[in-house]
Each structure stands twice: as structure tokens, then as C-alpha cells.
Amino acid sequence: MPKGYWIAQVDVRDTERYKDYVAAAKPAFEKYGANFIARGGAFAQLEGRVRARNVIIEFPSLQAAVDCYNSPEYQIAAAIRQEVADAEMVVVEGL
């Protein structure tokens, strides 16, 4: 079964409150088998719009990735993130 990946580009407006998001999201990530491939760090802009923080999270399947996002656990965290950061997020199926 192909894995699923969250790809997120984020501009954090409040770094202290963003820590609350990270803590709140942890139970959902653990429950759905998340594995962080990239979390921030250096990047090179090649084309188009970019944000300051780029995140790639691997899940056991596309469905697990979608279920994690829609879970009650993650939705608590998402509400915090949406208050303190701007983001684009997609879920893609791996090969």
C-alpha cells in the first residue's frame, strides 16, 4: 500500500503559541503513525511562492494521512495553528 504524505508550507506569526500547536498535534501524529521527513530547516526557492517553514510528514497510507488531519485530536491543534500561522497543506499519495 502506498504511503501518504502531508506537505505543508507555513509562515508562523507567533512562535510562542506555535509551540502550543506542536504539543497539541503530537497525540494525533502518534495515533496515526506520522514520521517527520522534513520540519523547517534550510531550503532553496526555485519557483513560485514560498513560506518560511516547509514540512513533510509520512503516514502509513493516504487514508491514515487524511484521517489524522480530520481526527478530533488534530482538529484541536489545527484551531491553534490557524490562529498563529498561515499555511497551505496538501496530502499526496506516495509511490
Side-chain angles (χ1 to χ4, degrees):
M1 173 184 310
K3 295 186 179 193
Y5 295 85
W6 281 20
I7 301 174
Q9 294 180 306
V10 184
D11 283 332
V12 178
R13 295 187 311 272
D14 183 337
T15 56
E16 287 305 309
R17 288 279 327 279
Y18 195 78
K19 293 175 187 176
D20 296 337
Y21 157 73
V22 171
K26 186 176 180 182
F29 291 148
E30 289 175 349
K31 180 177 180 179
Y32 290 93
N35 178 38
F36 284 81
I37 304 298
R39 185 188 290 182
F43 66 92
Q45 179 180 357
L46 302 177
E47 290 187 32
R49 181 178 178 196
V50 297
R51 293 195 179 266
R53 185 173 178 78
N54 300 284
V55 181
I56 302 171
I57 308 171
E58 179 184 73
F59 289 86
S61 67
L62 180 70
Q63 191 61 55
V66 171
D67 289 347
C68 180
Y69 181 85
N70 291 322
S71 71
E73 298 91 345
Y74 185 75
Q75 287 304 302
I76 291 168
I80 297 168
R81 179 183 43 76
Q82 291 162 357
E83 290 179 10
V84 302
D86 299 310
E88 280 84 35
M89 296 175 61
V90 297
V91 174
V92 298
E93 185 176 67
L95 300 175

